[in-house]
Amino acid sequence: MMVEMAEILHRHGPAYRAKYGGRMLPSHRKAMRDIERCRTSELGGHVYNCATCEETIYQYHSCRDRHCPKCQSGKAQQWLQKQQDHLPAARYFMLTFTMPAELRRMARSHQKLFYHLLFRTSADAVQKLGRDPRFVGGRMGMMSVLHTWGRNLAYHPHVHALVPGGGVAKDGTWLPSRANFLLPVKALSKIFRAKFRDALRQRAPEIFGTIPLQVWKTQWVVHSQPVGNGLRGLKYLAPYIFRVAISNRRIVKLADGKVTFRYRTTDTGKLRICRLPAGEFIRRFLQHVLPKGFVKVRYYGFLASGSRPQLKALRQLLGPLATDDSADFHVGSPTEPGTEPESSLGTAVPCPTCGQPMHRRRIRPGEQCPQGLSPP
């Protein structure tokens, strides 16, 4: 039987809360509570009855928490289609901006501040270098996505940015970049580092004073890769927007107070096994829970919401993004067992046995499953 995140939290969550108490962030407490309650009687549900063949189905409600492994299905495809309707046809590049290891511990304690600076300064660095006529010479556009985890749940905050290969001149004309080159990454990394340093010093001088000076002298990592017409980049980003740090499918075993899960190494792609004490596993999972209301996808330059007239003109000039090869897109991991589209709850559904419409009855939160029925 598959081990789920909810079971791990049910068994070891009380000890984790007792150990860390008031040091836990409210967002962490909420995520734990939501995952523990998801598709249980605490959230209520519906019973569906078929009058024709007497088939009965019971469904619990979902928690809809964006960090719940059970609740992130079907959204990536919708987002992908929306972006295809939004972006202009062009060559695209994927830029990755990585925060150095020396800053990660501080970033984990001040997530809103550091994540915001990671977004803002990476975008400012691209705009600054992009205006240089040696490279593009115009205003650029960016779609940036925050990603905080490594495959073994290690804390590794970085931003992926999908960038059209070109910029807009002051007179509105399109200035294309070179085919397989956007911006020099060494120069971009230096500008990114300097802008992050200056912004942190201005926004939080008390935090800036605790950062070792060596951080501002080491080389920061920026990676650039051409991704064709943009669909490849969109398909890469879409799962990360809705995927959580670990899916239930990757959890292998919960025994003797330890959690065993699978992951693939980044460099070789080989399958590896990681075994952690349950408390450490929960800690690693929770460090990827985002602050309440935090937006993990942001748009800059001519892709920003305030530049819709300019973007509309670009789409008329360059044409819309191609959509002919998007039909085969799927989220990286299949839907978790027992999930169902939230929109189906509380609506008429066809009977899986005879196909006739089923009648529904609401089960209120806290009300137990009717006698003789078992929850999915």
Side-chain angles (χ1 to χ4, degrees):
M1 183 177 179
M2 179 183 293
V3 179
E4 296 188 351
M5 177 64 68
E7 182 180 354
I8 296 171
L9 295 181
H10 275 300
R11 289 196 197 180
H12 298 280
Y16 186 89
R17 293 184 182 94
K19 181 177 180 179
Y20 293 102
R23 294 163 55 190
M24 290 183 63
L25 295 173
S27 56
H28 291 186
R29 290 183 176 275
K30 181 180 183 300
M32 290 181 69
R33 183 175 65 252
D34 288 346
I35 295 171
E36 290 168 343
R37 298 168 64 197
C38 188
R39 296 192 176 93
T40 70
S41 60
E42 291 188 55
L43 297 183
H46 287 81
V47 172
Y48 295 88
N49 301 108
C50 179
T52 303
C53 67
E54 300 184 352
E55 176 74 30
T56 302
I57 299 175
Y58 187 88
Q59 290 183 332
Y60 284 128
H61 286 172
S62 302
C63 68
R64 299 190 182 186
D65 192 297
R66 61 175 167 173
H67 303 101
C68 177
K70 289 183 178 180
C71 291
Q72 301 304 315
S73 61
K75 298 179 181 179
Q77 180 65 57
Q78 299 172 15
W79 179 86
L80 178 68
Q81 184 59 56
K82 182 178 180 181
Q83 302 313 308
Q84 291 177 170
D85 296 338
H86 179 70
L87 297 179
R91 293 186 298 266
Y92 280 79
F93 293 80
M94 183 72 73
L95 301 182
T96 303
F97 297 84
T98 302
M99 188 181 298
E102 294 84 354
L103 284 180
R104 292 174 193 168
R105 184 173 182 179
M106 190 65 71
R108 191 165 49 217
S109 301
H110 305 277
Q111 293 180 354
K112 278 191 176 181
L113 171 64
F114 276 75
Y115 294 166
H116 171 74
L117 293 183
L118 186 57
F119 271 119
R120 184 72 261 174
T121 58
S122 60
D124 288 347
V126 169
Q127 293 295 353
K128 179 178 176 62
L129 201 55
R131 290 190 183 97
D132 191 321
R134 292 176 297 171
F135 309 119
V136 176
R139 184 179 183 230
M140 302 183 69
M142 289 177 61
M143 174 199 301
S144 299
V145 177
L146 177 69
H147 187 200
T148 65
W149 62 83
R151 298 183 182 184
N152 63 350
L153 296 184
Y155 186 65
H156 180 55
H158 54 284
V159 161
H160 294 295
L162 187 63
V163 184
V168 181
K170 291 183 178 180
D171 62 0
T173 58
W174 177 249
L175 303 171
S177 68
R178 283 177 258 176
N180 292 307
F181 178 85
L182 183 64
L183 300 170
V185 292
K186 288 186 177 180
L188 187 59
S189 65
K190 290 180 180 179
I191 298 173
F192 170 45
R193 179 184 64 188
K195 286 188 172 293
F196 195 103
R197 178 198 61 204
D198 295 345
L200 181 61
R201 180 163 48 197
Q202 181 180 8
R203 291 282 299 271
E206 70 287 355
I207 296 176
F208 178 82
T210 66
I211 305 298
L213 293 178
Q214 188 61 30
V215 170
W216 313 116
K217 298 178 181 179
T218 58
Q219 183 177 353
W220 287 34
V221 178
V222 177
H223 182 261
S224 177
Q225 178 181 354
V227 290
N229 68 359
L231 281 176
R232 180 183 172 193
L234 283 175
K235 292 178 181 181
Y236 177 83
L237 292 177
Y240 285 111
I241 296 172
F242 302 102
R243 186 185 294 166
V244 297
I246 187 169
S247 68
N248 286 331
R249 295 178 60 86
R250 288 175 53 200
I251 302 174
V252 177
K253 184 170 62 174
L254 173 62
D256 302 323
K258 294 184 177 181
V259 179
T260 303
F261 65 94
R262 296 185 296 264
Y263 73 97
R264 291 191 181 276
T265 57
T266 304
D267 52 352
T268 65
K270 291 184 178 180
L271 197 63
R272 293 284 186 265
I273 294 294
C274 184
R275 184 175 293 105
L276 297 172
E280 172 62 13
F281 176 83
I282 294 173
R283 186 195 71 82
R284 288 199 189 186
F285 175 79
L286 290 178
Q287 65 187 352
H288 305 296
V289 170
L290 297 175
K292 181 180 179 181
F294 188 86
V295 179
K296 66 184 298 186
V297 184
R298 303 188 183 186
Y299 302 83
Y300 298 97
F302 61 74
L303 292 182
S305 59
S307 299
R308 292 298 169 84
Q310 189 176 60
L311 180 58
K312 182 178 180 181
L314 272 181
R315 283 175 57 85
Q316 291 175 345
L317 175 66
L318 303 176
L321 192 69
T323 59
D324 54 349
D325 64 344
S326 63
D328 61 345
F329 171 78
H330 297 283
V331 178
S333 58
T335 301
E336 299 290 351
T339 62
E340 75 286 332
E342 193 67 32
S343 60
S344 72
L345 296 178
T347 62
V349 296
C351 175
T353 302
C354 67
Q356 296 299 311
M358 303 183 79
H359 301 287
R360 65 175 176 85
R361 180 173 71 86
R362 182 182 178 188
I363 303 299
R364 299 186 179 279
E367 183 178 348
Q368 293 299 315
C369 194
Q371 186 176 6
L373 296 178
S374 298

